[in-house]
Amino acid sequence: MVALTPACCDELGFPLSEQDRKRPYVEVSGRKGLGVKADDLLDTLVEKAMAEVRSRHSLPEEESEAIARTIAVGALRYFLLRLQKTRSSHLTSRKH
């Protein structure tokens, strides 16, 4: 199972019922109309990484974008590779 936290659903623009907002996570289901496009997720991760790079370094825009993209892709790859078949995964784009 892959799931999103309610906060992540908000960030990605998915409307949730009050019942779903009270849950720790919401299951992703294309049949129910709740699915995440990889490009949209990656764009969100790049934006967050870019904000972090800018807050820490004064680099040219092109270099900052390259670093942010590398961080975002690495974070997504790590998240996907660390999963096991017997565990559910709850995706959030916020720090814990």
Side-chain angles (χ1 to χ4, degrees):
M1 171 181 72
V2 176
L4 302 173
T5 62
C8 189
C9 288
D10 285 340
E11 287 182 33
L12 294 172
F14 293 127
L16 295 177
S17 67
E18 286 305 313
Q19 184 180 6
D20 284 341
R21 290 193 179 284
K22 294 176 184 175
R23 296 179 181 178
Y25 61 87
V26 180
E27 290 183 35
V28 175
S29 171
R31 292 181 185 167
K32 294 179 184 175
L34 182 63
V36 178
K37 293 180 183 175
D39 287 340
D40 292 345
L41 177 59
L42 194 55
D43 288 346
T44 299
L45 294 173
V46 169
E47 286 175 24
K48 290 188 175 293
M50 187 67 162
E52 195 65 33
V53 169
R54 284 180 177 148
S55 74
R56 295 176 184 226
H57 307 284
S58 296
L59 299 170
E61 191 70 14
E62 189 174 296
E63 189 175 352
S64 294
E65 287 175 5
I67 291 169
R69 188 162 230 9
T70 300
I71 291 169
V73 169
L76 183 56
R77 284 181 178 171
Y78 173 78
F79 179 80
L80 294 172
L81 290 173
R82 73 179 179 82
L83 301 178
Q84 298 173 5
K85 287 184 180 182
T86 58
R87 282 182 21 186
S88 63
S89 55
H90 308 148
L91 181 62
T92 184
S93 61
R94 296 184 183 194
K95 293 180 184 179
H96 293 279

Coordinates of all heavy atoms in Angstrom, one line a residue:
M1 N 0.8 -1.2 0.0 CA 0.0 0.0 0.0 C 0.9 1.2 0.0 O 1.9 1.3 0.7 CB -0.9 0.0 1.2 CG -1.6 1.3 1.4 SD -2.7 1.4 2.9 CE -1.5 1.5 4.2
V2 N 0.5 2.2 -0.8 CA 1.2 3.5 -0.8 C 0.1 4.5 -0.3 O -1.0 4.5 -0.7 CB 1.7 3.9 -2.1 CG1 2.3 5.3 -2.1 CG2 2.8 2.9 -2.6
A3 N 0.5 5.4 0.6 CA -0.4 6.4 1.1 C 0.2 7.8 1.3 O 1.4 7.9 1.3 CB -0.9 5.9 2.5
L4 N -0.6 8.8 1.3 CA -0.2 10.1 1.5 C -0.7 10.6 2.9 O -1.7 10.3 3.3 CB -0.7 11.1 0.5 CG -0.4 10.7 -1.0 CD1 -1.2 11.6 -1.9 CD2 1.1 10.9 -1.3
T5 N 0.1 11.5 3.5 CA -0.4 12.1 4.7 C -1.4 13.2 4.3 O -1.4 13.7 3.2 CB 0.7 12.8 5.5 OG1 1.3 13.8 4.7 CG2 1.8 11.8 5.9
P6 N -2.4 13.5 5.2 CA -3.3 14.6 4.8 C -2.6 15.9 4.4 O -3.0 16.6 3.5 CB -4.2 14.7 6.1 CG -4.1 13.4 6.7 CD -2.7 12.9 6.4
A7 N -1.5 16.2 5.1 CA -0.8 17.4 4.8 C -0.2 17.4 3.4 O -0.2 18.4 2.6 CB 0.4 17.6 5.8
C8 N 0.3 16.2 3.0 CA 0.8 16.0 1.6 C -0.3 16.2 0.6 O -0.1 16.8 -0.5 CB 1.5 14.7 1.5 SG 2.4 14.5 -0.1
C9 N -1.5 15.6 0.9 CA -2.6 15.8 0.0 C -3.0 17.2 -0.2 O -3.3 17.6 -1.3 CB -3.8 15.0 0.6 SG -3.7 13.2 0.5
D10 N -2.9 18.0 0.9 CA -3.2 19.4 0.8 C -2.2 20.1 -0.1 O -2.5 20.9 -1.0 CB -3.1 20.1 2.1 CG -4.4 19.8 3.0 OD1 -5.4 19.4 2.4 OD2 -4.3 20.0 4.2
E11 N -0.9 19.8 0.0 CA 0.2 20.4 -0.8 C 0.0 20.0 -2.2 O 0.3 20.8 -3.1 CB 1.5 19.9 -0.3 CG 1.9 20.6 1.0 CD 3.3 20.1 1.4 OE1 4.2 19.9 0.5 OE2 3.6 20.0 2.6
L12 N -0.5 18.8 -2.5 CA -0.6 18.4 -3.9 C -2.0 18.8 -4.5 O -2.3 18.5 -5.6 CB -0.4 16.9 -4.0 CG 1.0 16.4 -3.7 CD1 1.1 14.9 -3.7 CD2 2.0 16.9 -4.8
G13 N -2.9 19.4 -3.7 CA -4.2 19.9 -4.1 C -5.3 18.8 -4.2 O -6.2 19.0 -4.9
F14 N -5.2 17.8 -3.4 CA -6.2 16.7 -3.4 C -7.2 17.1 -2.3 O -6.9 17.3 -1.2 CB -5.6 15.4 -3.1 CG -4.7 14.8 -4.1 CD1 -3.5 14.4 -3.8 CD2 -5.1 14.7 -5.4 CE1 -2.6 13.8 -4.7 CE2 -4.3 14.2 -6.4 CZ -3.1 13.7 -6.0
P15 N -8.5 17.2 -2.7 CA -9.5 17.5 -1.7 C -9.8 16.3 -0.9 O -9.8 15.1 -1.3 CB -10.8 17.8 -2.6 CG -10.5 17.1 -3.9 CD -9.0 17.1 -4.1
L16 N -9.9 16.5 0.4 CA -10.2 15.4 1.4 C -11.4 15.7 2.2 O -11.8 16.8 2.5 CB -9.0 15.3 2.4 CG -7.7 14.9 1.8 CD1 -6.6 14.9 2.9 CD2 -7.7 13.5 1.2
S17 N -12.1 14.6 2.5 CA -13.3 14.7 3.4 C -12.8 15.0 4.8 O -11.6 14.8 5.1 CB -14.1 13.4 3.4 OG -13.3 12.4 4.0
E18 N -13.7 15.4 5.7 CA -13.3 15.7 7.1 C -12.8 14.3 7.7 O -11.9 14.3 8.6 CB -14.4 16.3 7.9 CG -14.7 17.7 7.6 CD -13.4 18.6 7.8 OE1 -12.7 18.5 8.8 OE2 -13.1 19.4 6.9
Q19 N -13.4 13.2 7.4 CA -13.0 11.9 7.9 C -11.6 11.6 7.5 O -10.8 11.1 8.3 CB -14.0 10.9 7.4 CG -13.7 9.5 7.9 CD -14.7 8.5 7.4 OE1 -15.6 8.8 6.5 NE2 -14.6 7.2 7.9
D20 N -11.3 11.8 6.2 CA -9.9 11.6 5.7 C -8.9 12.5 6.4 O -7.7 12.1 6.7 CB -9.8 11.7 4.2 CG -10.4 10.5 3.5 OD1 -10.6 9.5 4.1 OD2 -10.7 10.7 2.3
R21 N -9.3 13.7 6.7 CA -8.3 14.7 7.3 C -7.9 14.2 8.7 O -6.9 14.6 9.2 CB -8.9 16.0 7.4 CG -9.0 16.7 6.1 CD -9.4 18.2 6.3 NE -9.4 18.8 4.9 CZ -8.4 19.1 4.2 NH1 -7.2 18.8 4.6 NH2 -8.5 19.6 3.0
K22 N -8.8 13.4 9.4 CA -8.5 12.9 10.7 C -7.6 11.7 10.7 O -7.1 11.3 11.8 CB -9.8 12.6 11.5 CG -10.6 13.9 11.7 CD -12.0 13.6 12.3 CE -12.8 14.9 12.5 NZ -14.1 14.6 13.0
R23 N -7.4 11.1 9.6 CA -6.6 9.9 9.5 C -5.1 10.2 9.4 O -4.8 11.3 8.9 CB -7.0 9.1 8.2 CG -8.4 8.6 8.3 CD -8.7 7.8 7.0 NE -10.1 7.4 7.1 CZ -10.7 6.7 6.2 NH1 -10.1 6.4 5.0 NH2 -12.0 6.3 6.3
P24 N -4.3 9.3 9.9 CA -2.8 9.6 9.8 C -2.3 9.5 8.3 O -1.3 10.1 8.0 CB -2.2 8.5 10.6 CG -3.2 7.4 10.8 CD -4.6 8.1 10.6
Y25 N -3.1 8.8 7.5 CA -2.7 8.7 6.1 C -3.9 8.4 5.2 O -4.9 7.9 5.8 CB -1.6 7.7 5.8 CG -2.0 6.3 6.2 CD1 -2.6 5.4 5.3 CD2 -1.7 5.8 7.5 CE1 -3.0 4.2 5.7 CE2 -2.1 4.5 7.9 CZ -2.7 3.7 7.0 OH -3.1 2.4 7.3
V26 N -3.8 8.6 3.9 CA -4.9 8.3 3.0 C -4.3 7.5 1.9 O -3.3 7.8 1.3 CB -5.5 9.6 2.4 CG1 -6.6 9.3 1.4 CG2 -5.9 10.6 3.5
E27 N -5.0 6.3 1.7 CA -4.5 5.4 0.6 C -4.6 6.0 -0.7 O -5.6 6.6 -1.1 CB -5.2 4.1 0.7 CG -4.9 3.3 1.9 CD -5.7 1.9 1.9 OE1 -5.9 1.4 0.8 OE2 -6.1 1.5 3.0
V28 N -3.6 5.8 -1.6 CA -3.6 6.3 -2.9 C -4.4 5.3 -3.8 O -4.1 4.1 -3.7 CB -2.2 6.5 -3.5 CG1 -2.2 6.9 -4.9 CG2 -1.5 7.6 -2.7
S29 N -5.4 5.7 -4.5 CA -6.1 4.8 -5.4 C -6.6 5.6 -6.6 O -7.4 6.5 -6.6 CB -7.4 4.3 -4.6 OG -8.2 3.6 -5.5
G30 N -6.0 5.1 -7.8 CA -6.4 5.7 -9.0 C -7.9 5.6 -9.3 O -8.6 6.4 -9.9
R31 N -8.5 4.4 -8.9 CA -9.9 4.2 -9.1 C -10.8 5.2 -8.3 O -11.9 5.4 -8.7 CB -10.2 2.7 -8.6 CG -9.6 1.7 -9.5 CD -10.0 0.3 -9.1 NE -9.3 -0.7 -9.9 CZ -9.2 -1.9 -9.6 NH1 -9.7 -2.4 -8.5 NH2 -8.5 -2.7 -10.4
K32 N -10.2 5.6 -7.2 CA -11.0 6.6 -6.4 C -10.6 8.1 -6.8 O -11.1 9.0 -6.2 CB -10.7 6.4 -4.9 CG -11.2 5.1 -4.3 CD -10.8 5.0 -2.9 CE -11.2 3.6 -2.3 NZ -10.7 3.5 -0.9
G33 N -9.8 8.2 -7.8 CA -9.4 9.5 -8.2 C -8.3 10.2 -7.4 O -8.0 11.3 -7.6
L34 N -7.6 9.4 -6.6 CA -6.5 9.9 -5.8 C -5.2 9.2 -6.2 O -5.0 8.1 -5.8 CB -6.8 9.7 -4.3 CG -5.7 10.3 -3.4 CD1 -5.6 11.8 -3.5 CD2 -6.0 9.9 -1.9
G35 N -4.5 9.9 -7.1 CA -3.3 9.4 -7.6 C -2.3 10.5 -7.7 O -2.6 11.6 -7.9
V36 N -1.0 10.1 -7.7 CA 0.1 11.1 -7.7 C 0.9 10.8 -9.0 O 1.3 9.7 -9.2 CB 1.0 11.0 -6.5 CG1 2.1 12.0 -6.6 CG2 0.2 11.2 -5.2
K37 N 1.0 11.9 -9.8 CA 1.8 11.8 -11.0 C 3.3 12.0 -10.6 O 3.6 12.9 -9.8 CB 1.4 12.8 -12.0 CG 0.1 12.6 -12.6 CD -0.3 13.7 -13.6 CE -1.7 13.4 -14.1 NZ -2.1 14.5 -15.0
A38 N 4.2 11.1 -11.1 CA 5.6 11.2 -10.7 C 6.1 12.6 -11.0 O 6.9 13.1 -10.2 CB 6.3 10.1 -11.4
D39 N 5.8 13.2 -12.1 CA 6.3 14.5 -12.4 C 5.8 15.6 -11.4 O 6.6 16.4 -11.0 CB 5.8 14.9 -13.8 CG 6.6 14.2 -14.9 OD1 7.7 13.7 -14.7 OD2 6.1 14.2 -16.1
D40 N 4.6 15.5 -11.0 CA 4.1 16.5 -10.0 C 4.8 16.3 -8.7 O 5.2 17.3 -8.0 CB 2.6 16.3 -9.8 CG 1.8 16.7 -11.0 OD1 2.3 17.3 -11.9 OD2 0.6 16.3 -11.1
L41 N 5.0 15.0 -8.3 CA 5.7 14.8 -7.0 C 7.2 15.3 -7.1 O 7.7 15.9 -6.2 CB 5.7 13.3 -6.7 CG 6.5 12.8 -5.4 CD1 5.9 13.5 -4.2 CD2 6.4 11.3 -5.3
L42 N 7.8 15.0 -8.2 CA 9.2 15.4 -8.4 C 9.3 16.9 -8.4 O 10.2 17.5 -7.8 CB 9.8 14.8 -9.6 CG 11.3 14.9 -9.8 CD1 12.0 14.3 -8.6 CD2 11.8 14.2 -11.0
D43 N 8.4 17.6 -9.0 CA 8.4 19.1 -9.1 C 8.2 19.6 -7.6 O 8.9 20.6 -7.3 CB 7.2 19.6 -9.9 CG 7.4 19.4 -11.4 OD1 8.6 19.1 -11.8 OD2 6.5 19.5 -12.2
T44 N 7.4 19.0 -6.8 CA 7.2 19.5 -5.4 C 8.5 19.3 -4.7 O 8.9 20.2 -3.9 CB 6.1 18.7 -4.8 OG1 4.9 18.9 -5.5 CG2 5.9 19.1 -3.3
L45 N 9.1 18.1 -4.8 CA 10.4 17.8 -4.1 C 11.5 18.8 -4.6 O 12.3 19.3 -3.8 CB 10.8 16.4 -4.3 CG 9.9 15.3 -3.7 CD1 10.4 13.9 -4.2 CD2 9.9 15.5 -2.2
V46 N 11.5 19.1 -5.9 CA 12.6 20.0 -6.4 C 12.3 21.4 -5.8 O 13.3 22.1 -5.4 CB 12.6 20.1 -7.9 CG1 13.4 21.3 -8.4 CG2 13.1 18.8 -8.5
E47 N 11.1 21.9 -5.7 CA 10.8 23.2 -5.1 C 11.3 23.3 -3.7 O 11.8 24.3 -3.3 CB 9.3 23.4 -5.2 CG 8.7 23.8 -6.5 CD 7.2 23.9 -6.5 OE1 6.6 24.2 -5.4 OE2 6.6 23.8 -7.6
K48 N 11.0 22.2 -2.9 CA 11.4 22.2 -1.5 C 12.9 22.2 -1.4 O 13.5 22.9 -0.5 CB 10.8 21.0 -0.8 CG 9.3 21.2 -0.6 CD 8.7 20.1 0.3 CE 7.3 20.4 0.5 NZ 7.0 21.6 1.3
A49 N 13.6 21.4 -2.2 CA 15.0 21.3 -2.2 C 15.6 22.6 -2.6 O 16.6 23.1 -2.0 CB 15.5 20.2 -3.1
M50 N 15.0 23.3 -3.6 CA 15.5 24.6 -4.1 C 15.4 25.6 -3.0 O 16.4 26.4 -2.8 CB 14.7 25.0 -5.3 CG 15.2 26.2 -6.0 SD 16.8 25.9 -6.7 CE 16.9 27.3 -7.8
A51 N 14.4 25.6 -2.2 CA 14.2 26.6 -1.1 C 15.3 26.3 -0.1 O 15.9 27.3 0.5 CB 12.8 26.4 -0.5
E52 N 15.6 25.1 0.2 CA 16.7 24.7 1.1 C 18.0 25.1 0.6 O 18.8 25.7 1.4 CB 16.6 23.2 1.5 CG 17.4 22.8 2.7 CD 16.8 23.4 4.0 OE1 15.6 23.6 4.1 OE2 17.7 23.7 4.9
V53 N 18.3 24.9 -0.6 CA 19.6 25.2 -1.2 C 19.8 26.8 -1.2 O 20.8 27.3 -0.8 CB 19.7 24.7 -2.7 CG1 20.9 25.3 -3.4 CG2 19.8 23.2 -2.7
R54 N 18.8 27.5 -1.5 CA 18.8 29.0 -1.5 C 19.0 29.5 -0.1 O 19.7 30.5 0.1 CB 17.6 29.6 -2.1 CG 17.5 29.5 -3.6 CD 16.2 30.1 -4.1 NE 16.1 30.1 -5.6 CZ 15.0 29.9 -6.2 NH1 13.9 29.9 -5.6 NH2 15.1 29.9 -7.6
S55 N 18.4 28.9 0.9 CA 18.6 29.3 2.3 C 20.0 29.1 2.8 O 20.4 29.8 3.7 CB 17.5 28.7 3.2 OG 17.9 27.3 3.4
R56 N 20.7 28.2 2.2 CA 22.0 27.8 2.8 C 23.2 28.3 1.9 O 24.3 28.4 2.4 CB 22.2 26.3 2.8 CG 21.2 25.7 3.8 CD 21.3 24.1 3.8 NE 20.4 23.5 4.6 CZ 20.7 22.5 5.5 NH1 21.9 22.0 5.5 NH2 19.7 22.0 6.2
H57 N 22.9 28.6 0.6 CA 24.0 29.0 -0.3 C 23.6 30.1 -1.2 O 22.5 30.3 -1.6 CB 24.5 27.8 -1.1 CG 24.8 26.6 -0.3 ND1 25.9 26.4 0.4 CD2 24.0 25.4 -0.1 CE1 25.9 25.2 1.0 NE2 24.8 24.6 0.7
S58 N 24.6 30.9 -1.6 CA 24.5 32.0 -2.6 C 25.2 31.5 -3.9 O 26.3 31.7 -4.1 CB 25.1 33.3 -2.1 OG 24.4 33.7 -1.0
L59 N 24.4 30.7 -4.7 CA 25.0 30.1 -5.9 C 24.2 30.7 -7.1 O 23.1 31.1 -7.0 CB 24.8 28.6 -5.8 CG 25.5 27.9 -4.7 CD1 25.0 26.4 -4.6 CD2 27.0 28.0 -4.9
P60 N 24.8 30.6 -8.3 CA 24.1 30.9 -9.5 C 22.8 30.0 -9.6 O 22.8 28.9 -9.2 CB 25.1 30.6 -10.6 CG 26.4 30.6 -9.9 CD 26.2 30.2 -8.5
E61 N 21.8 30.6 -10.2 CA 20.5 29.9 -10.3 C 20.6 28.5 -11.0 O 20.1 27.6 -10.5 CB 19.5 30.8 -11.2 CG 18.1 30.3 -11.1 CD 17.5 30.5 -9.8 OE1 18.0 31.2 -8.9 OE2 16.4 29.9 -9.6
E62 N 21.4 28.5 -12.1 CA 21.6 27.2 -12.8 C 22.2 26.1 -11.9 O 21.8 25.0 -11.9 CB 22.4 27.4 -14.0 CG 22.5 26.2 -14.9 CD 23.2 26.5 -16.2 OE1 22.8 27.4 -17.0 OE2 24.3 25.9 -16.4
E63 N 23.2 26.5 -11.1 CA 23.8 25.6 -10.2 C 22.9 25.2 -9.1 O 22.8 24.0 -8.7 CB 25.1 26.2 -9.6 CG 26.0 25.2 -8.8 CD 27.3 25.8 -8.4 OE1 27.6 26.9 -8.8 OE2 28.0 25.1 -7.6
S64 N 22.2 26.1 -8.5 CA 21.2 25.8 -7.5 C 20.1 24.8 -8.0 O 19.7 23.9 -7.3 CB 20.5 27.1 -7.0 OG 21.4 27.9 -6.4
E65 N 19.6 25.1 -9.2 CA 18.6 24.2 -9.8 C 19.2 22.7 -9.9 O 18.5 21.8 -9.7 CB 18.1 24.7 -11.1 CG 17.2 25.9 -11.0 CD 16.9 26.5 -12.3 OE1 17.2 26.0 -13.4 OE2 16.2 27.6 -12.3
A66 N 20.4 22.6 -10.4 CA 21.0 21.3 -10.6 C 21.2 20.6 -9.3 O 20.9 19.4 -9.2 CB 22.4 21.4 -11.3
I67 N 21.6 21.3 -8.2 CA 21.7 20.7 -6.9 C 20.4 20.3 -6.4 O 20.2 19.2 -5.8 CB 22.5 21.7 -6.0 CG1 23.9 21.8 -6.4 CG2 22.4 21.2 -4.5 CD1 24.7 22.9 -5.7
A68 N 19.4 21.2 -6.5 CA 18.0 20.9 -6.0 C 17.5 19.6 -6.7 O 16.8 18.8 -6.0 CB 17.1 22.1 -6.2
R69 N 17.6 19.5 -8.0 CA 17.1 18.4 -8.7 C 17.8 17.1 -8.3 O 17.2 16.1 -8.1 CB 17.3 18.6 -10.2 CG 16.6 17.5 -11.0 CD 16.4 17.9 -12.4 NE 15.2 17.8 -13.1 CZ 14.0 17.6 -12.7 NH1 13.7 17.3 -11.5 NH2 12.9 17.5 -13.5
T70 N 19.1 17.1 -8.0 CA 19.9 16.0 -7.6 C 19.4 15.5 -6.2 O 19.2 14.3 -6.0 CB 21.4 16.3 -7.5 OG1 21.8 16.6 -8.9 CG2 22.2 15.1 -7.0
I71 N 19.2 16.5 -5.3 CA 18.6 16.2 -4.0 C 17.3 15.6 -4.1 O 17.0 14.6 -3.4 CB 18.6 17.4 -3.1 CG1 20.0 17.9 -2.8 CG2 17.8 17.2 -1.8 CD1 20.1 19.3 -2.2
A72 N 16.4 16.2 -4.9 CA 15.0 15.7 -5.0 C 15.0 14.2 -5.5 O 14.2 13.4 -5.0 CB 14.2 16.6 -5.9
V73 N 15.7 14.0 -6.6 CA 15.7 12.7 -7.2 C 16.3 11.7 -6.2 O 15.8 10.5 -6.0 CB 16.5 12.7 -8.5 CG1 16.7 11.2 -9.0 CG2 15.7 13.5 -9.6
G74 N 17.4 12.0 -5.5 CA 18.0 11.2 -4.5 C 17.0 10.8 -3.4 O 16.9 9.7 -2.9
A75 N 16.3 11.8 -2.9 CA 15.3 11.6 -1.8 C 14.2 10.7 -2.3 O 13.8 9.8 -1.5 CB 14.7 12.9 -1.4
L76 N 13.7 10.8 -3.5 CA 12.7 10.0 -4.0 C 13.2 8.5 -4.2 O 12.5 7.6 -3.8 CB 12.1 10.5 -5.3 CG 10.9 9.7 -5.9 CD1 9.8 9.6 -4.9 CD2 10.4 10.4 -7.2
R77 N 14.4 8.4 -4.8 CA 15.0 7.1 -4.9 C 15.2 6.4 -3.6 O 14.9 5.2 -3.5 CB 16.3 7.2 -5.7 CG 16.1 7.4 -7.1 CD 17.5 7.5 -7.8 NE 17.3 7.7 -9.2 CZ 18.3 7.9 -10.0 NH1 19.6 8.0 -9.6 NH2 18.1 8.1 -11.3
Y78 N 15.7 7.1 -2.6 CA 15.9 6.5 -1.3 C 14.6 6.0 -0.7 O 14.4 4.9 -0.2 CB 16.5 7.5 -0.3 CG 16.6 7.0 1.1 CD1 17.6 6.1 1.4 CD2 15.7 7.4 2.0 CE1 17.6 5.6 2.7 CE2 15.7 6.9 3.3 CZ 16.7 6.0 3.7 OH 16.7 5.5 4.9
F79 N 13.5 6.9 -0.8 CA 12.2 6.5 -0.3 C 11.7 5.3 -0.9 O 11.2 4.4 -0.2 CB 11.2 7.7 -0.5 CG 9.9 7.4 0.0 CD1 9.6 7.5 1.4 CD2 8.9 7.0 -0.8 CE1 8.3 7.2 1.9 CE2 7.6 6.7 -0.4 CZ 7.3 6.8 1.0
L80 N 11.8 5.1 -2.2 CA 11.3 4.0 -2.9 C 12.1 2.7 -2.6 O 11.6 1.6 -2.5 CB 11.3 4.2 -4.4 CG 10.3 5.3 -4.9 CD1 10.5 5.6 -6.3 CD2 8.9 4.9 -4.6
L81 N 13.4 2.9 -2.5 CA 14.3 1.7 -2.3 C 14.3 1.1 -0.9 O 14.5 0.0 -0.7 CB 15.8 2.1 -2.7 CG 16.0 2.3 -4.1 CD1 17.5 2.8 -4.3 CD2 15.8 1.0 -4.9
R82 N 13.9 2.0 0.0 CA 13.9 1.5 1.4 C 12.6 0.7 1.8 O 12.5 0.2 2.9 CB 14.1 2.6 2.4 CG 12.9 3.6 2.5 CD 13.2 4.7 3.5 NE 12.1 5.5 3.7 CZ 11.0 5.3 4.4 NH1 10.9 4.2 5.1 NH2 10.0 6.2 4.5
L83 N 11.7 0.7 0.9 CA 10.4 0.1 1.2 C 10.5 -1.5 1.1 O 11.3 -2.0 0.4 CB 9.3 0.5 0.2 CG 9.0 2.0 0.1 CD1 8.0 2.3 -0.9 CD2 8.5 2.5 1.5
Q84 N 9.7 -2.1 1.9 CA 9.6 -3.5 1.9 C 8.2 -3.9 1.5 O 7.2 -3.2 1.8 CB 10.0 -4.1 3.2 CG 11.4 -3.8 3.7 CD 11.6 -4.3 5.1 OE1 10.8 -4.9 5.7 NE2 12.8 -4.0 5.6
K85 N 8.0 -5.1 0.9 CA 6.6 -5.5 0.5 C 5.7 -5.6 1.7 O 4.5 -5.5 1.5 CB 6.7 -6.8 -0.2 CG 7.3 -6.7 -1.6 CD 7.2 -8.1 -2.3 CE 7.8 -8.0 -3.7 NZ 7.7 -9.3 -4.4
T86 N 6.2 -5.9 2.9 CA 5.3 -6.2 4.0 C 5.0 -4.9 4.8 O 4.3 -5.0 5.8 CB 5.9 -7.2 5.0 OG1 7.2 -6.7 5.4 CG2 6.1 -8.5 4.3
R87 N 5.5 -3.8 4.4 CA 5.3 -2.5 5.1 C 4.5 -1.6 4.2 O 4.6 -1.6 3.0 CB 6.6 -1.8 5.4 CG 7.3 -2.4 6.5 CD 8.6 -1.7 6.9 NE 8.8 -0.3 6.4 CZ 9.9 0.4 6.5 NH1 10.9 -0.2 7.1 NH2 10.0 1.6 6.1
S88 N 3.6 -0.8 4.9 CA 2.9 0.3 4.2 C 3.8 1.5 4.2 O 4.7 1.7 5.0 CB 1.6 0.6 4.8 OG 1.8 1.1 6.1
S89 N 3.7 2.3 3.2 CA 4.5 3.5 3.1 C 3.6 4.8 3.1 O 2.7 4.8 2.3 CB 5.4 3.5 1.9 OG 4.6 3.3 0.7
H90 N 3.9 5.7 3.9 CA 3.2 6.9 4.0 C 4.0 8.1 3.6 O 5.0 8.4 4.3 CB 2.7 7.2 5.5 CG 2.0 6.0 6.0 ND1 2.0 5.6 7.3 CD2 1.3 5.0 5.4 CE1 1.4 4.5 7.5 NE2 0.9 4.1 6.4
L91 N 3.7 8.7 2.5 CA 4.5 9.7 1.9 C 4.1 11.1 2.4 O 3.0 11.5 2.5 CB 4.3 9.7 0.4 CG 5.1 10.7 -0.4 CD1 6.6 10.5 -0.3 CD2 4.7 10.7 -1.9
T92 N 5.2 11.8 2.9 CA 5.0 13.2 3.3 C 6.1 14.0 2.7 O 7.2 13.5 2.5 CB 4.9 13.4 4.8 OG1 4.6 14.8 5.1 CG2 6.1 12.9 5.5
S93 N 5.9 15.3 2.4 CA 7.0 16.1 1.9 C 7.5 17.0 2.9 O 8.3 17.9 2.6 CB 6.5 16.9 0.6 OG 5.5 17.7 1.0
R94 N 7.2 16.8 4.1 CA 7.6 17.7 5.2 C 8.6 16.9 6.1 O 8.7 15.7 6.2 CB 6.4 18.1 6.1 CG 5.4 18.9 5.4 CD 4.3 19.4 6.2 NE 3.4 20.1 5.4 CZ 2.5 20.9 5.9 NH1 2.3 21.0 7.1 NH2 1.7 21.5 5.0
K95 N 9.4 17.7 6.8 CA 10.4 17.2 7.7 C 9.7 16.6 8.9 O 8.7 17.0 9.3 CB 11.4 18.2 8.2 CG 12.3 18.8 7.1 CD 13.2 19.9 7.7 CE 14.0 20.5 6.6 NZ 14.9 21.6 7.2
H96 N 10.3 15.6 9.5 CA 9.7 15.0 10.7 C 10.4 15.5 11.9 O 11.5 15.9 11.9 CB 9.9 13.4 10.7 CG 9.1 12.8 9.6 ND1 7.8 12.5 9.8 CD2 9.4 12.4 8.4 CE1 7.3 11.9 8.7 NE2 8.3 11.8 7.8

